[in-house]
Amino acid sequence: MTPVPVSRRPAPDVARWCDEFEATCRARGVRVTPQRLAVYRALAEDLSHPTAEAVWARLRPRMPSLSPATVYRILESLDREGLVRRVSVTDGAGRFDANRGPHQHLVCRVCGRVRDVRDPTLTRVGLGRDAVRGFTVEELDIRIVGRCGRCRK
Amino acid sequence: MTPVPVSRRPAPDVARWCDEFEATCRARGVRVTPQRLAVYRALAEDLSHPTAEAVWARLRPRMPSLSPATVYRILESLDREGLVRRVSVTDGAGRFDANRGPHQHLVCRVCGRVRDVRDPTLTRVGLGRDAVRGFTVEELDIRIVGRCGRCRK
DNA sequence: TCCTAGATGCGAGAGATTACCATCTGGAAC
DNA sequence: GTTCCAGATGGTAATCTCTCGCATCTAGGA
């Protein structure tokens, strides 16, 4: 029935992540609202690294009163709190990822699809001290740009 | 964000890069216009990874008729042609880099400054075949996010 | 049940780019 | 040197992606 198959994270994982998410919020004294839970769940279910607008569009049928501004605000604050990650795709709208484990992103420069990968070589990468003198490293963001199978001619 | 001070690339390097740039354009049959040369030169001189708007502002005194739209178009096409690189900084305006050699970017999450670094460990990084099955890798973009010396409290 | 800091909804507005189109021009052909 | 035209530019409107201000609402502690 669905023309474009949505890649979904396995339901048990989603359920566990949502439980952990709610627990973390409560532990940190962050208010748990239906909107926050819904946004987090939608992102956890979706493997396509959706934009804020896409998350909103997906939730709209179920939460008609949900405001796009609220989705932007929620994703921004979750990123700041380290509960989701903003993915750098350079152009167009910002995209988000509920996967906080160590991984890299394959970005297709033709269709814009983003896929998680875990390359042990890259995951193991350390930083030489000299390269970052005077700089406090907080995050290493690795983007692998190219063409996905569908877009290779 | 505080304004980014302009750090300049050594003049001999800039001159050589500009010559190579023009030669490459001619070799590829890409039309060489005063605007293209000026935009490329401004970017080559500037180590601060300026935005399209910053490039335009810098050229305006010398080329009062230069349109911002033209600067955006030129930078976009140079990026597409592989003659400059668009730097991923995730938020705000897109930033550009004339340095096409292998290097990574230190991005300060407080002031937004971007600095080139060359970490041998990262430069040497290879990709496991399994991680990118069906994906043609064209570029490895590594962003090191944290706080620069000035913004560390 | 009450209270309030913080969250939400909505509409206006800002910033960065992109589209459109009339005009101009680099450089190949003569 | 002159002609010619595909492609580049300038100016402006439109778009896309958020962000802000503010009135209202609500989660969750007292």
Side-chain angles (χ1 to χ4, degrees), chain A residues 42-95:
Chain A
L43 192 62
E45 284 172 344
D46 193 334
L47 292 173
S48 74
H49 306 77
T51 62
E53 205 275 341
V55 169
W56 173 72
R58 187 155 158 198
L59 292 173
R60 210 153 117 83
R62 269 174 288 160
M63 299 183 87
S65 73
L66 181 66
S67 163
T70 298
V71 177
Y72 279 102
R73 266 185 308 230
I74 289 173
L75 288 171
E76 202 277 330
S77 68
L78 295 187
D79 175 46
R80 203 157 13 78
E81 291 156 20
L83 296 169
V84 306
R85 283 176 64 183
R86 190 188 291 264
V87 178
S88 54
V89 218
T90 310
D91 51 330
R95 300 174 69 160

Side-chain angles (χ1 to χ4, degrees), chain B:
Chain B
M1 285 189 185
T2 51
V4 177
V6 175
S7 44
R8 282 179 166 256
R9 197 180 307 278
D13 291 356
V14 174
R16 196 179 67 251
W17 287 21
C18 286
D19 287 349
E20 288 171 8
F21 170 75
E22 189 170 341
T24 304
C25 285
R26 293 195 190 281
R28 294 188 191 174
V30 175
R31 194 177 291 189
V32 176
T33 68
Q35 290 88 344
R36 274 172 174 251
L37 287 176
V39 165
Y40 181 81
R41 173 178 293 277
L43 191 62
E45 284 173 342
D46 193 334
L47 292 173
S48 74
H49 306 76
T51 62
E53 205 275 341
V55 169
W56 174 72
R58 188 156 157 195
L59 291 174
R60 208 152 118 83
R62 271 174 287 160
M63 299 182 86
S65 73
L66 181 66
S67 163
T70 299
V71 176
Y72 279 101
R73 265 184 310 229
I74 289 173
L75 288 171
E76 202 278 329
S77 67
L78 295 186
D79 176 46
R80 204 158 12 77
E81 291 157 20
L83 295 169
V84 306
R85 283 175 64 183
R86 190 187 290 263
V87 178
S88 52
V89 220
T90 309
D91 51 332
R95 300 174 68 160
F96 296 86
D97 188 354
N99 179 2
R100 293 186 297 131
H103 68 282
Q104 301 85 40
H105 291 117
L106 287 182
V107 181
C108 175
R109 76 159 83 246
V110 179
C111 67
R113 277 193 189 81
V114 180
R115 214 180 81 205
D116 286 353
V117 279
R118 235 188 121 164
D119 183 297
T121 317
L122 290 176
T123 304
R124 232 183 294 119
V125 147
L127 290 172
R129 291 226 161 273
D130 289 350
V132 291
R133 182 162 291 163
F135 193 95
T136 309
V137 176
E138 295 176 357
E139 190 188 335
L140 191 60
D141 180 15
I142 301 182
R143 209 165 51 106
I144 303 161
V145 183
R147 289 160 186 269
C148 70
R150 268 176 283 237
C151 294
R152 197 165 39 175
K153 280 173 288 289

Side-chain angles (χ1 to χ4, degrees), chain A residues 92-106:
Chain A
R95 300 174 69 160
F96 295 87
D97 188 354
N99 179 2
R100 293 187 297 132
H103 67 282
Q104 301 85 40
H105 291 118
L106 287 183

